[in-house]
Amino acid sequence: MYKYIIRRILIFIPMLFALTIIVFGMAQLAPGDALTGVSLSDPNIDPEVYEIQREAYGLNDPIPVQYFRWISSVAQGDLGNSLVFNGRSVAELIQARLANTVYLGLFSLAITIIVAIPIGIYSARRPYSLLDYSATGFGFIGLAIPNFFFGLIAIYVLSIKLGWFPAQGTLSTPGMTGMEAFIDRIHHMILPGITLGLAGTATYMRYMRSEVLDVLGSDYIRTARAKGMSESNILYKHTLRNALIPIITLMGFEIGVLLSGAVITEQVFQYPGLGTLFLSSVTNRDYPVVMAIAMILGILILVGNLLADIFYSIIDPRIRYD
């Protein structure tokens, strides 16, 4: 297992290199840049000053030169400076918002697991019951409704009309600390967390129901029942270990999906995380920030896949990486 993990980590190196080329190439193919956007919005800018700024930022250099300058800086931990946010360090901008997005993603994933897995198991054990039909209907609705639309409905009903939850932000009062701040932060994350995890909850629930039904129909489950094993032992010792394999696969991708999906959700709830920073950077063509966030998402997806492979062998002892 340790050799497999080391091999996977070593494979990260060429994959990360390929990721940097893709991210940088997409930024180069995008129209214009931050300075172009400023010049187009303000026709009074002196063209000579505009060219001096482009030269100072190295935007007139050949693309290979720009790439190697950028990748060399990234390798040293320097993500560059923003061209829009007063020249602030990209690492500083991301650090100020990363924790909020991670908290929101983990909270959303926790809601998804707590809700989807038990309902999926019960639906499989009681197929075609009222709860099963209700869960199926919820699954179709959850997959059909866009996140932003559900978020707007949640704000209108649960925040504006009923006043149960705040509609935006992370804290009611800046500077709060301790348990009071923790509870207030959770209170602010409930609406965006449910909105972000809606589609994932519906997907996990359907997968869990399908996998548990498939395992319960297996020969070794019938043999266990014939030997007099209790239903609880059959469920927890035999069924779940096999049914959770595809769920773990989904979770490996879910880390990057949650953070990328937070772009729309955070904008709807004005939640100060990486999503709002990414959208603002794309709008203003601040490509150093866009490339840094895209790199972070790519790395998280790679790490998620590695963790999924490791958890395979923990949940199912038959899986070994020799």
Side-chain angles (χ1 to χ4, degrees):
M1 188 64 186
Y2 293 110
K3 292 181 180 179
Y4 172 77
I5 295 175
I6 293 174
R7 286 201 303 268
R8 285 295 303 269
I9 293 175
L10 292 176
I11 292 175
F12 274 8
I13 298 175
M15 295 181 70
L16 284 175
F17 179 70
L19 180 62
T20 61
I21 295 177
I22 294 172
V23 169
F24 185 84
M26 294 296 291
Q28 291 296 319
L29 292 174
D33 51 49
L35 296 181
T36 303
V38 173
S39 66
L40 291 176
S41 62
D42 187 1
N44 296 322
I45 292 181
D46 189 344
E48 184 176 348
V49 174
Y50 168 71
E51 287 300 326
I52 291 175
Q53 289 180 324
R54 289 188 61 85
E55 193 68 32
Y57 283 114
L59 299 177
N60 292 331
D61 294 338
I63 291 179
V65 174
Q66 294 186 48
Y67 170 76
F68 282 110
R69 181 171 59 237
W70 173 70
I71 195 62
S72 300
S73 299
V74 170
Q76 299 174 31
D78 181 11
L79 299 177
N81 296 317
S82 168
L83 302 179
V84 174
F85 296 96
N86 299 321
R88 292 176 60 188
S89 167
V90 174
E92 179 185 345
L93 290 171
I94 292 176
Q95 183 179 5
R97 295 171 178 253
L98 178 61
N100 288 337
T101 298
V102 171
Y103 293 152
L104 179 61
L106 293 176
F107 183 75
S108 173
L109 185 60
I111 292 176
T112 297
I113 294 173
I114 292 172
V115 174
I117 292 182
I119 294 179
I121 294 173
Y122 187 88
S123 296
R125 297 185 66 185
R126 300 288 188 274
Y128 312 114
S129 63
L130 177 60
L131 179 62
D132 186 30
Y133 284 121
S134 300
T136 301
F138 169 77
F140 287 135
I141 294 173
L143 292 173
I145 297 180
N147 279 3
F148 74 90
F149 184 71
F150 179 81
L152 294 175
I153 294 176
I155 290 174
Y156 179 76
V157 176
L158 300 177
S159 180
I160 296 176
K161 288 296 184 180
L162 299 177
W164 290 354
F165 304 103
Q168 61 183 16
T170 57
L171 289 174
S172 300
T173 304
M176 296 176 64
T177 58
M179 183 58 66
E180 184 183 10
F182 175 78
I183 295 175
D184 191 60
R185 185 180 292 274
I186 295 295
H187 192 216
H188 279 76
M189 284 196 297
I190 289 177
L191 285 188
I194 293 174
T195 301
L196 183 59
L198 178 64
T201 301
T203 302
Y204 279 41
M205 190 170 54
R206 298 303 300 165
Y207 265 98
M208 200 66 201
R209 179 187 184 276
S210 175
E211 291 300 320
V212 171
L213 272 176
D214 184 58
V215 174
L216 287 176
S218 302
D219 291 337
Y220 64 88
I221 296 295
R222 285 193 290 268
T223 302
R225 286 199 178 107
K227 290 181 177 180
M229 183 176 289
S230 65
E231 287 296 323
S232 60
N233 283 337
I234 290 175
L235 177 63
Y236 296 111
K237 290 186 177 180
H238 297 284
T239 305
L240 285 183
R241 283 182 178 270
N242 294 280
L244 283 175
I245 297 297
I247 301 299
I248 292 175
T249 304
L250 286 176
M251 287 182 182
F253 290 100
E254 193 72 11
I255 297 175
V257 171
L258 283 174
L259 296 183
S260 60
V263 173
I264 303 300
T265 303
E266 289 183 2
Q267 187 67 22
V268 170
F269 291 93
Q270 289 300 296
Y271 187 86
L274 283 185
T276 52
L277 176 63
F278 183 80
L279 191 59
S280 174
S281 301
V282 170
T283 303
N284 293 293
R285 304 175 183 179
D286 195 358
Y287 294 132
V289 179
V290 173
M291 290 190 295
I293 295 177
M295 283 290 298
I296 291 174
L297 294 179
I299 292 172
L300 288 176
I301 291 176
L302 293 177
V303 172
N305 289 334
L306 174 61
L307 292 177
D309 288 342
I310 294 174
F311 282 124
Y312 286 158
S313 64
I314 296 176
I315 289 181
D316 192 343
R318 296 174 301 174
I319 299 177
R320 288 292 180 264
Y321 302 100
D322 295 325

